[in-house]
Structures are given as structure tokens and as C-alpha cells.
């Protein structure tokens, strides 16, 4: 009996060792290959697929190495654009198409600079909008949050990739996703806001998607508009002005107020102003909630996706609000 217990213990130790070997590191992710089944937790193959999608501008939103609705929608959009059945499931054929989009390693090294760790940071940000108005800047809380957003990745995954790093010192070398998307497309003819699928698409003149982003779009209380609009202007580092007529839930004051600029501002790092008064496409201080929560009527993207779209659009470009769910959005 004792011998049997020893054998079982050794087997468990080997299994645990295998699990340890499968933890995230540069080699595990860069060398990951397609496998069947539904991975649990943070998975190297899913992380690699998400980076492929992000680079190809079929954004999965926050890169976190997990199965999610945003991931399925990104896969479905990529499949539809490449003539594959758009069910949102990562198949071998889809994997091969994704892998063909980028031949380099999806994880790379990055040397932290003095500017990365210097800030300025806003360590404590209140949840109440009225109290945010007292801050001089809505900056990142710390260098880890700043670096995670720069590389489109969750703070959890950034820590897993760099387990012995405190993210406080310059000249530290980090393992990060290579999310270089290249120059933005120049042929963007229109933007489509799909309210049912919770997606924003940048389209070429033929209606082909050049980029697809997950979005939080309106709510029953504050629905997004219908019909058409136009881009009026793009504002980088916007402030946010609250008008009492908005009557947002949880805001008690009856007076207008302005919240300072910064990536943790309620509209994030960029505002794409639309011809419909008070509506825009903008960033967010909470990228992990994109596509899973509703907005106050506007169209909310991750900061990096909003900035990517902002680099493509010009004043006068048409923005269409679509009420029906598109084919690639049916994988939700």
C-alpha cells in the first residue's frame, strides 16, 4: 500500500511538473501549435491566436489567452473575411490561415525605459465621476497598467509572462506580445457600428472589413442611435464634460463638471466625434469590460482599438448604425 502511494505521488509530481512546463513563457507561446478541445484557463495556443488576430486587425479586445465571446467574434470575422465557415470556432484551417498572416514570433522582448516607469501616474482613481473631476489628470495607475495597455494584454498575463518582474525599474527586459499592426489602411470608406453583434467595422469602398473591433454599445437606458452619421473630428487626450441632462445612473450632482484628460478618463485616450450631438466612438479605462457591458449610449472600444480606428478615419466619413446582427456576430 505504501509503495502504491509512493508511485501515485511520483505520478502526480510528474503531472504537476508537466503543468509547470506548460505555463506561459516565450518558447511555449511562440512554439504553440493547434490542438483540438477547449483549453481551460490561460492557454499558450489561445494567446498566440489572439496575437495573430490583433495584428491582423480582427481584434479580440484584451489579449488574455482565454476563450471568450470577443475571441469567438474575432475568429468569426476573420473566417468570414477569408472565405471560411464563420462559426467563431478555432479550427485547424482557421489556425493555418492565421499563422500565414505573420511569420515572426508572437512574443518578443521589450526593454523598459525610464519614461515607462516615471509616469506621471494617478495611483488612486475614485469610482464616482463627480470625484474624478477633482483630479488634475486621469493617468495610468502604475507602470504595469501602462505597459499592459501598450501591448494590448491583460495585467494578469503580463505578470505570468514576467513572474520575477516588479515593473518599477528601467532597463528591465520584458516578454510582451508583438502587436505591431503596421500602417493603418488608407482606403477606409465607412464605419459600421453593429449594435446586435457589439462590433465596429472599418470598411473599404466595396464593404469589405479592413478592421473589426469588439465594442460596448449603448444600453436599454441609454441606447445607441440608429441610422447614419458622419465623423466630425478626432480628439486625442480628450477631457470629458458631464451634462446633468445625461442623467447617468449613480451621478448625483445637478451641475455640469469636467474630468481631466488621461487614459483612465471615462472616454479613454481618444474621442471620435460624430455628427449626432453628444455621441462618439471612444476609448475606455476598463479594456476587460469591452463587449461584456453596456455604455452610456456611445460606442466604447479599448484605447488601442479606438486609437487604431482614429488613425483611419477623417471628417466626413460615414458611420452607419446597424440594428441587425451580422453573420460573424452570431458566434456570441
Amino acid at each position: 500500500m505504501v509503495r502504491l502511494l509512493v508511485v501515485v505521488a511520483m505520478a502526480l509530481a510528474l503531472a504537476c511538473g508537466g503543468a509547470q512546463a506548460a505555463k506561459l513563457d516565450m518558447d511555449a507561446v511562440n512554439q504553440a501549435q493547434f490542438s483540438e478541445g477547449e483549453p481551460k484557463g490561460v492557454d499558450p495556443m489561445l494567446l498566440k491566436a489572439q496575437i495573430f488576430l490583433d495584428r491582423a486587425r480582427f481584434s479580440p479586445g484584451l489579449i488574455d489567452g482565454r476563450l471568450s465571446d470577443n475571441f469567438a467574434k474575432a475568429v468569426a470575422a476573420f473566417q468570414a473575411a477569408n472565405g471560411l465557415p464563420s462559426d467563431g470556432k478555432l479550427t485547424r484551417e482557421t489556425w493555418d490561415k492565421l499563422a500565414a498572416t505573420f511569420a515572426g514570433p508572437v512574443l518578443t522582448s521589450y526593454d523598459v525605459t525610464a519614461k515607462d516607469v516615471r509616469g506621471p501616474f494617478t495611483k488612486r482613481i475614485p469610482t464616482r465621476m463627480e470625484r474624478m473631476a477633482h483630479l488634475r489628470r486621469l493617468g495610468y495607475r502604475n507602470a504595469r497598467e501602462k505597459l499592459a495597455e501598450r501591448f494590448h494584454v491583460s495585467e494578469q498575463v503580463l505578470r505570468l509572462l514576467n513572474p520575477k518582474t516588479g515593473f518599477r525599474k528601467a532597463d528591465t527586459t520584458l516578454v510582451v506580445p508583438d502587436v505591431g499592426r503596421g500602417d493603418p489602411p488608407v482606403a477606409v470608406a465607412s464605419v459600421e457600428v453593429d449594435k446586435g453583434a457589439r462590433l465596429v467595422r472599418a470598411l473599404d469602398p466595396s464593404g469589405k472589413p479592413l478592421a473589426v473591433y469588439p465594442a460596448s454599445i449603448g444600453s436599454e437606458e441609454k441606447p445607441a442611435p440608429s441610422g447614419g452619421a458622419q465623423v466630425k473630428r478626432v480628439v486625442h487626450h480628450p477631457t470629458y464634460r458631464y451634462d446633468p441632462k445625461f442623467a447617468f445612473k449613480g451621478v448625483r450632482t445637478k451641475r455640469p463638471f469636467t474630468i481631466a484628460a488621461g487614459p483612465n478618463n471615462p472616454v479613454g485616450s481618444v474621442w471620435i466625434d460624430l455628427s449626432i450631438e453628444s455621441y462618439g466612438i471612444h476609448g475606455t479605462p476598463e479594456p476587460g469590460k469591452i463587449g461584456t457591458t453596456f455604455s452610456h449610449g456611445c460606442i466604447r472600444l479599448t484605447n488601442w482599438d479606438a486609437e487604431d480606428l482614429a488613425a483611419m478615419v477623417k471628417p466626413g466619413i460615414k458611420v452607419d448604425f446597424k440594428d441587425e446582427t451580422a453573420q460573424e456576430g452570431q458566434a456570441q
Side-chain angles (χ1 to χ4, degrees):
M1 181 67 176
V2 172
R3 184 176 180 180
L4 178 60
L5 290 174
V6 170
V7 171
V8 171
M10 289 178 64
L12 287 172
L14 287 171
C16 290
Q20 291 292 328
K23 284 187 176 180
L24 292 191
D25 59 38
M26 186 177 285
D27 288 340
V29 177
N30 284 339
Q31 296 173 15
Q33 297 297 320
F34 176 76
S35 60
E36 300 282 356
E38 293 192 0
K40 303 295 183 182
V42 180
D43 180 78
M45 179 192 70
L46 291 180
L47 186 63
K48 188 173 183 177
Q50 288 176 341
I51 298 170
F52 281 147
L53 288 163
D54 185 280
R55 290 182 58 88
R57 288 190 165 90
F58 292 91
S59 174
L62 190 67
I63 295 173
D64 60 3
R66 297 176 181 272
L67 290 172
S68 67
D69 284 349
N70 284 345
F71 175 68
K73 288 189 287 188
V75 170
F78 179 83
Q79 290 169 328
N82 285 273
L84 301 173
S86 54
D87 60 3
K89 296 179 181 178
L90 185 61
T91 62
R92 182 171 296 279
E93 189 176 13
T94 304
W95 174 271
D96 290 343
K97 286 276 189 180
L98 278 172
T101 63
F102 180 55
V106 296
L107 291 184
T108 188
S109 298
Y110 174 75
D111 294 328
V112 178
T113 67
K115 185 178 180 180
D116 290 328
V117 298
R118 186 170 58 240
F121 299 119
T122 308
K123 294 183 179 180
R124 293 179 178 83
I125 298 177
T127 57
R128 293 272 302 278
M129 293 178 70
E130 301 99 310
R131 294 178 180 175
M132 289 182 192
H134 296 296
L135 299 178
R136 297 178 61 183
R137 175 178 169 79
L138 274 292
Y140 293 111
R141 292 175 175 83
N142 50 49
R144 184 179 65 240
E145 183 185 37
K146 181 179 182 180
L147 289 162
E149 184 151 309
R150 176 172 181 169
F151 296 104
H152 309 180
V153 68
S154 70
E155 292 186 52
Q156 179 198 19
V157 168
L158 189 64
R159 287 194 300 267
L160 290 172
L161 290 171
N162 302 278
K164 298 180 180 180
T165 303
F167 304 99
R168 294 189 181 94
K169 296 181 180 179
D171 300 322
T172 302
T173 300
L174 299 180
V175 176
V176 297
D178 185 346
V179 289
R181 288 173 168 173
D183 294 334
V186 295
V188 174
S190 64
V191 174
E192 182 179 76
V193 178
D194 190 329
K195 295 191 288 185
R198 297 192 197 181
L199 290 172
V200 170
R201 304 179 184 92
L203 306 176
D204 73 5
S206 70
K208 178 182 177 181
L210 299 169
V212 181
Y213 312 107
S216 292
I217 305 173
S219 64
E220 290 186 6
E221 179 190 8
K222 299 289 182 180
S226 296
Q230 290 183 331
V231 172
K232 287 180 61 179
R233 59 176 179 154
V234 173
V235 181
H236 294 278
H237 312 295
T239 58
Y240 176 78
R241 180 168 175 78
Y242 178 79
D243 189 322
K245 72 180 183 181
F246 297 159
F248 289 167
K249 185 177 180 180
V251 179
R252 300 173 184 173
T253 182
K254 301 299 181 182
R255 296 182 178 180
F257 58 83
T258 299
I259 298 176
N264 276 315
N265 177 292
V267 293
S269 60
V270 67
W271 170 268
I272 301 172
D273 197 27
L274 301 182
S275 56
I276 304 173
E277 184 181 2
S278 302
Y279 284 94
I281 303 172
H282 62 83
T284 180
E286 298 180 291
K289 292 184 177 182
I290 290 298
T292 65
T293 59
F294 295 99
S295 72
H296 289 301
C298 288
I299 302 90
R300 188 183 302 160
L301 311 177
T302 65
N303 277 338
W304 55 88
D305 286 341
E307 289 167 7
D308 195 48
L309 181 62
M312 300 181 199
V313 299
K314 297 178 180 179
I317 282 183
K318 188 177 180 181
V319 179
D320 294 312
F321 289 87
K322 185 175 182 179
D323 292 310
E324 295 182 6
T325 301
Q327 182 68 30
E328 63 261 37
Q330 293 177 358
Q332 295 183 78

